[in-house]
Amino acid sequence: MAPIRHAFARVMRSLVMKFTLLCGVILVAATASLMAVEFQLKRSENNASGLRHATLITELFASNSASFIRSGETSRLNSVVNEFGAREEVTGVYAADVNRRVLSAAGDVNYAVGDRASDHLIQSAIGAVDTRMEVVSGNIRVAEPVFSDGRLVGAVVANIPLAAVARPASALIVRQVLIAIIALVIFLPLVAYLINRALAPVAKLTEAARLASSRKLDLRIDVQTGDELEVLANAFNRMFARLDASVKRVHRLAYVDMITELPNRERFRKELEQVARDAIEKDQEGAVLFLDLDRFKRVNDSLGIGEGDRLLEAVGRRLREAARAWDLADGDASAGPSMVARLGGDEFTILMPRLRDATDAARLARRVIDAVRRPFEISGHQVFLGLSVGAAVFPRDGADPETLLRHADLAMDAAKRAGGNACEFFESAMNQSAFERLVLENELREAVREDQLVVYYQPKVGMNDGALSGAEALVRWQHPTAGLLSPGAFIQAAEECGLIGEIGDWVLRRACHEAAGLMAKGHSVPVAVNVSAMQFESDTFADTVIDALNESGLPPEMLELELTESTAMRDPERVLKQIAPLREMGVTFAIDDFGTGHSSLSYLTRMPFDVFKIDQTFVRDMSEDEHARVVVETILALAKSLNLKTVAEGVETAEQYAQLRGLGATLAQGYLFGRPMPLEDLERFAEPEAGSNVG
Ligand code: C2E
Ligand code: MG
Ligand code: MG
């Protein structure tokens, strides 16, 4: 019932219905006013003919009674008066002489025979010698002068009800109303039909607007009526075309990465949500690969932003090609293609909607790694990049986009730590270590704020005399609950969360300050400070060192900076620029952990360093391992030919010490001479009597 009521209400509210009703009302109003006019005309016409009829009767009465009035034949006059008084249209008549004395009367009159008629009508008729007539409340009264032989002899008066002589107009009204109703019945449906036709384009416009509101914008309304509706329809068409274009543009901005033209994070997230849901329903597996370029930041910095973007674009293209080739060769056609997206920066993702088994993900990862490894040609330069890939398999490793991306990201971190150009799969332990890392980072920030860091010093002694010839500053963390922590427990975390710069600068200033303090007490102990890659790559590095020297008053020759081989080799041009001003002042530079990196010897030997620190693994192994001994010998020979000093690290036994001395190392550092120690201990170590405590 309700739907019918609704449909009826809709029809009643429709424009067609409203216009039809309006036409009906106009039609009725027009007919009604026409009928009213017609009725009035008819009524006055009927009245006029009634009056004529009444006058004729009275004239006839006058002429019939004329001779009897003159002759005074009362009985004959009475019979004429009675005859007329008896007519059905007459209610009363009387006849009077010239002096208005009533001679005879019949029916309903105000006078009796012999009365003198005093009403103005008969007075006026006799006075004017002419017919007089009046209509009073539906009654016609006619007074007619009576002549006999051309002489006025008296007058007659007749009372005649108007209704008796005039036809009523109401009969006409009934007929007209009938005609009007028939006209309405015939014309209203016709009017409705015509209005409906005329308004058909409005229905089209309405339907189009409804479709547009449900986001279907690629439509055209075809209205060719040549009137305002056509103009309106054309305006609608133009509006839809513009809306369609801007909606597409907005969609592009919202879901496409502008540099690579790949889907962006938002689009990827949506797709992943859908695909992961499907996979769960169909009990299938898929994978998310999280890709991060190795070394991109450095390349980007040296190329500039514009070229960096072009490089990303080229990477995006290769990834897409690799994914497409995989789809064609190994993909599951029924599952749809893999989606490559850019999350931002140098991070990309690939969505594999279906896996036959986990090795599928590893194989695609290998493909994309190989694709990115091939050199890129960017404005005439060959650029080499690497790629670290982390894989999360759904639904096993998560069912929603956030979890899957986070897990794939953690796996990617593991791949990156393993040296890059590798793929790792997510394992639940990664979550735990990521959590621990987060706690560690927060604690480390607090440590920097709360002054929980301290500097320990490890002595370096001369090979020949065993005398103290310097000390290496090594940072320690006095943790509130865990006790004294070595750098191994926190340096990597500090590097990853960006705190290493702050920590390194602090160590540098503290070491300069304390070495200057020792000098003031008469102990000349040159201090060596480790410099991390991030610290060294900062543009303000040289200034920071100069500030530390100035603030502490330590002579530059008393400061040595240790760079690891990989830091030194990352960007040789930059290294030269950074260290040149400091070397000029007298600061010396050492390459730490020498022998562990993979740097080109020829390059290294051309760099302006003063000291090689032989890595402790070679020192430890040299007595048993022939290879380690050869490396140590080679480094020492190289240093000698380049006229550089050498420090053998990790000397723990007298045997190692003797062997190194035999091979010609300059200095030694290790537990044999002293572990890293607080400043006070170093000060005691520097006392002359503590000097050579080694045999
Ligand atoms: P490194 O610069 O090669 O420092 C030498 C490391 O070898 C020190 O470890 C030291 O305690 C240890 N060592 C010295 N002699 C012996 C020995 O005879 N046997 C053995 N087994 N080990 C010995 P530590 O203090 O744990 O520092 C580890 C690394 O942390 C350092 O290696 C250095 O790369 C880094 N580091 C320490 N302090 C800082 C710092 O202030 N800034 C930066 N960037 N890195 C630092
Ligand atoms: Mg060092
Ligand atoms: Mg070292």
Side-chain angles (χ1 to χ4, degrees), residues 419-438:
N421 276 330
C423 172
E424 290 284 341
F425 278 78
F426 170 75
E427 287 162 23
S428 53
M430 290 175 178
N431 249 335
Q432 179 59 25
S433 65
F435 178 71
E436 284 163 3
R437 173 64 52 89
L438 196 69

Side-chain angles (χ1 to χ4, degrees), residues 305-374:
I305 298 286
E307 300 295 292
D309 285 357
R310 285 194 42 214
L311 182 57
L312 283 174
E313 197 186 328
V315 170
R317 219 171 12 245
R318 280 205 197 161
L319 293 178
R320 199 161 31 194
E321 279 162 12
R324 180 144 174 70
W326 158 266
D327 284 342
L328 289 177
D330 303 284
D332 182 343
S334 63
S338 319
M339 175 192 257
V340 181
R342 176 170 173 241
L343 297 190
D346 59 351
E347 291 175 349
F348 293 82
T349 42
I350 300 180
L351 171 60
M352 303 177 73
R354 187 172 313 164
L355 298 181
R356 278 163 303 202
D357 58 78
T359 54
D360 271 359
R363 292 215 311 273
L364 175 56
R366 189 31 63 198
R367 264 183 195 244
V368 291
I369 290 171
D370 290 345
V372 172
R373 248 180 143 160
R374 294 199 316 273

Side-chain angles (χ1 to χ4, degrees), residues 61 65 76-86 93-95 104-106:
F61 176 34
S65 54
R76 300 202 49 189
L77 177 63
N78 279 347
S79 72
V80 172
V81 167
N82 286 337
E83 182 198 333
F84 273 89
V93 289
Y94 68 89
S104 177

Side-chain angles (χ1 to χ4, degrees), residues 472 530 562 592-594 613-616 649:
E472 177 174 5
N530 292 286
E562 294 188 6
D592 205 354
D593 304 343
F594 192 67
K613 292 191 81 174
I614 304 166
D615 191 69
Q616 49 183 282
E649 287 189 278

Side-chain angles (χ1 to χ4, degrees), residues 306-594:
E307 300 295 292
D309 285 357
R310 285 194 42 214
L311 182 57
L312 283 174
E313 197 186 328
V315 170
R317 219 171 12 245
R318 280 205 197 161
L319 293 178
R320 199 161 31 194
E321 279 162 12
R324 180 144 174 70
W326 158 266
D327 284 342
L328 289 177
D330 303 284
D332 182 343
S334 63
S338 319
M339 175 192 257
V340 181
R342 176 170 173 241
L343 297 190
D346 59 351
E347 291 175 349
F348 293 82
T349 42
I350 300 180
L351 171 60
M352 303 177 73
R354 187 172 313 164
L355 298 181
R356 278 163 303 202
D357 58 78
T359 54
D360 271 359
R363 292 215 311 273
L364 175 56
R366 189 31 63 198
R367 264 183 195 244
V368 291
I369 290 171
D370 290 345
V372 172
R373 248 180 143 160
R374 294 199 316 273
F376 290 87
E377 194 77 39
I378 297 289
S379 44
H381 297 286
Q382 280 216 325
V383 176
F384 292 87
L385 290 175
L387 190 68
S388 299
V389 181
V393 174
F394 53 81
R396 187 187 74 195
D397 298 337
D400 61 286
E402 283 69 31
T403 313
L404 283 168
L405 279 172
R406 188 159 46 81
H407 287 170
D409 189 5
L410 283 174
M412 185 281 293
D413 275 343
K416 189 146 276 196
R417 271 200 293 277
N421 276 330
C423 172
E424 290 284 341
F425 278 78
F426 170 75
E427 287 162 23
S428 53
M430 290 175 178
N431 249 335
Q432 179 59 25
S433 65
F435 178 71
E436 284 163 3
R437 173 64 52 89
L438 196 69
V439 171
L440 177 64
E441 281 178 16
N442 282 334
E443 286 186 347
L444 198 53
R445 280 176 212 283
E446 197 170 300
V448 174
R449 270 201 313 274
E450 309 266 294
D451 244 353
Q452 292 169 5
L453 299 180
V454 283
V455 178
Y456 270 37
Y457 296 91
Q458 186 177 33
K460 287 187 283 187
V461 299
M463 269 293 173
N464 297 326
D465 53 4
L468 178 68
S469 69
E472 177 174 5
L474 294 160
V475 69
R476 295 289 180 268
W477 177 4
Q478 190 62 59
H479 191 279
T481 52
L484 193 68
L485 297 182
S486 288
F490 60 91
I491 282 288
Q492 199 186 346
E495 269 167 4
E496 280 165 20
C497 72
L499 272 175
I500 190 69
E502 210 171 315
I503 294 176
D505 290 351
W506 179 84
V507 172
L508 175 69
R509 268 199 300 277
R510 172 57 63 101
C512 289
H513 181 79
E514 293 183 342
L518 280 183
M519 263 186 96
K521 292 183 183 169
H523 307 300
S524 171
V525 185
V527 68
V529 177
N530 292 286
V531 176
S532 76
M534 195 185 274
Q535 216 182 339
F536 186 66
E537 275 166 12
S538 151
D539 290 333
T540 56
F541 175 69
D543 296 333
T544 310
V545 176
I546 294 168
D547 283 351
L549 289 171
N550 290 342
E551 275 167 28
S552 60
L554 186 73
E557 319 71 68
M558 295 289 281
L559 177 65
E560 185 161 281
L561 296 176
E562 294 188 6
L563 303 179
T564 60
E565 210 181 312
S566 58
T567 308
M569 284 301 105
R570 240 183 219 194
D571 188 350
E573 300 296 315
R574 198 184 171 93
V575 171
L576 283 176
K577 264 223 306 280
Q578 289 280 56
I579 68 179
L582 295 171
R583 274 195 97 233
E584 260 167 43
M585 290 171 70
V587 177
T588 52
F589 281 83
I591 293 199
D592 205 354
D593 304 343
F594 192 67

